[in-house]
Amino acid sequence: MTDLVIRALTPSDADLFFSLHDNALVGRGAFGHRYATVADGGEYRPDWTWVALRDTNVVARAAWWGAPDDTAPIALDWFDFAPGEEEAGAELLRRAPFRSEYSLLVPPGWREVPEVRAAAEARIGAARAAGMEVLVERFRYVWTPGCPLPERPGRLTFRPEPDDAVILDVLRRVHSVTLDAHARRAIEGPGGLDAAAQEELDFFRWCPSPREWWQLAYTPDGEVAGIHVPAHNPSGPCIGFIGVVPEARGHGYGYDLLVECTRFLVEQGAESIAGATDCGNAPMAAAFARAGHPVTQERIDLVFAQG
C-alpha cells in the first residue's frame, strides 16, 4: 500500500478537503460548522486542517476549530476517513500538532441504528488508537420558540455579580461536589479545584456576551443558592453554566436556574438556545426535560491523557 503523506492544507489547496466523501450518518464535532476557510467567509483555517493522502487521494481529514481571536484550536471539530482507512485517521491525529478535545455529535439513540453505530465507533476507535480516551457522553439540547417556556418558579432571586473573586468562590463551591466529568478531570489535574473553577471563568470570558449577564441566585434568607450564566458562544445563544452550591442541593434549584437562564436569553431575543449536560448527570438532565429543552443530539467527548 502506498505510503501516507500527512500535512496541513494551504490556502491554495484548501479545496482538497472536499475530495473525501462526507459520511452524513454521524455528525461532526462540538461546533459542526459547514467547512469553509476564513478566506471564503467560513471559520476554519487551512493550517489547522490536516489531511492524509495516499498518492493524490485524501483518505482521512481533520479540522480543528477556534474562535477568531484564539491563537490555538480549542476543539477537533471534524474528523473522518475513507472506508478501511481507520489507521490513516489515527496516524493523522498522532502526527498533527494539536491535542484539543474531540467532541463527536451523534443522533439520539445512536447505538440503536447499526449504520450510525458503526460509523461512530469507527471514529471513536481511530481516536483511541491515536491515544485519546472517552471522557464522557453528553446530551445536547436546543430550545426553540416551539418548545414550552415555563414560568419562573419564584423561589430564588437573581442578581448580577461584578466581582470575579466572588464568582470564583461560588464556582469552587459548586465543583467541590460535582457530577460533571470535565470539572472532575480538571480537579484531578495539578491545579485541583482552583483550576476547575478558573476553567469555567475563562470560558465565560471567552464567550462574546456581556459580563453583566452572569448572575448569582439567592434563597429567601439571602444565602447563595447557585449561579447561572446565560451566554452567546460563537455559534449563538447557549446555557453557559448552571450550578447549585452543595448546601442548597436537594430542593430542585437546578430547574429554577435553568428556567431563569432560558427566559433571560429569550428576553434578549434568542430564538434558539443550545445546552448540554453529561448523560450521567440525572438531576440536570431531568431539569432540562422539565424546562422543555428537547435532546437533539448526543455528544461523545474524547481527550488525550493529561500531563
Side-chain angles (χ1 to χ4, degrees):
M1 187 176 287
T2 308
D3 290 342
L4 284 176
V5 173
I6 294 177
R7 64 174 177 85
L9 294 180
T10 67
S12 63
D13 66 8
D15 285 348
L16 270 177
F17 188 85
F18 299 105
S19 66
L20 182 63
H21 175 69
D22 188 10
N23 183 346
L25 289 173
V26 175
R28 294 182 288 276
F31 296 91
H33 308 292
R34 179 183 67 86
Y35 187 87
T37 63
V38 173
D40 290 331
E43 301 190 48
Y44 291 95
R45 310 180 201 185
D47 55 325
W48 290 0
T49 304
W50 283 58
V51 293
L53 298 107
R54 203 180 296 284
D55 292 327
T56 58
N57 299 314
V58 174
V59 296
R61 60 186 176 181
W64 284 263
W65 181 91
D69 294 334
D70 289 336
T71 57
I74 65 166
L76 171 58
D77 197 44
W78 198 312
F79 173 55
D80 58 359
F81 37 81
E85 292 286 2
E86 287 87 348
E87 178 53 32
E91 187 63 16
L92 186 159
L93 296 186
R94 292 186 197 108
R95 292 199 212 172
F98 310 119
R99 291 296 178 264
S100 307
E101 181 172 307
Y102 174 33
S103 295
L104 175 63
L105 294 182
V106 291
W110 61 277
R111 287 184 173 87
E112 306 306 315
V113 182
E115 297 85 355
V116 173
R117 180 170 183 165
E121 289 183 344
R123 296 190 197 185
I124 294 167
R128 280 178 162 151
M132 304 188 84
E133 60 187 10
V134 174
L135 174 65
V136 67
E137 296 186 26
R138 291 170 65 80
F139 294 124
R140 186 174 185 270
Y141 306 86
V142 177
W143 183 95
T144 62
C147 301
L149 182 61
E151 294 299 320
R152 291 177 167 100
R155 299 189 298 170
L156 302 173
T157 57
F158 300 89
R159 297 197 296 271
E161 175 48 66
D163 189 340
D164 282 2
V166 175
I167 296 289
L168 271 171
D169 179 65
V170 173
L171 291 171
R172 287 189 198 96
R173 291 163 65 186
V174 169
H175 283 332
S176 65
V177 182
T178 181
L179 296 174
D180 184 89
H182 287 83
R184 293 172 73 157
R185 183 171 188 260
I187 291 166
E188 291 167 1
L193 188 57
D194 287 347
Q198 187 65 51
E199 190 174 282
E200 298 291 358
L201 188 68
D202 291 345
F203 168 71
F204 303 163
R205 289 173 173 158
W206 176 82
C207 290
S209 41
R211 168 67 176 78
E212 57 267 24
W213 285 9
W214 311 357
Q215 293 187 335
L216 297 186
Y218 296 86
T219 63
D221 59 4
E223 297 297 321
V224 172
I227 178 174
H228 81 100
V229 177
H232 273 242
N233 65 31
S235 298
C238 66
I239 306 297
F241 188 81
I242 300 290
V244 179
V245 297
E247 57 270 30
R249 292 175 189 168
H251 304 286
Y253 286 149
Y255 172 78
D256 301 49
L257 290 161
L258 180 58
V259 170
E260 184 65 26
C261 198
T262 302
R263 295 191 71 99
F264 184 98
L265 288 167
V266 170
E267 289 163 4
Q268 304 303 313
E271 295 188 356
S272 177
I273 302 170
T277 195
D278 292 3
C279 294
N281 190 340
M284 200 65 233
F288 271 106
R290 184 182 172 198
H293 291 241
V295 176
T296 57
Q297 291 171 307
E298 295 181 30
R299 200 175 97 189
I300 306 158
D301 291 345
L302 296 98
V303 295
F304 286 96
Q306 298 188 94

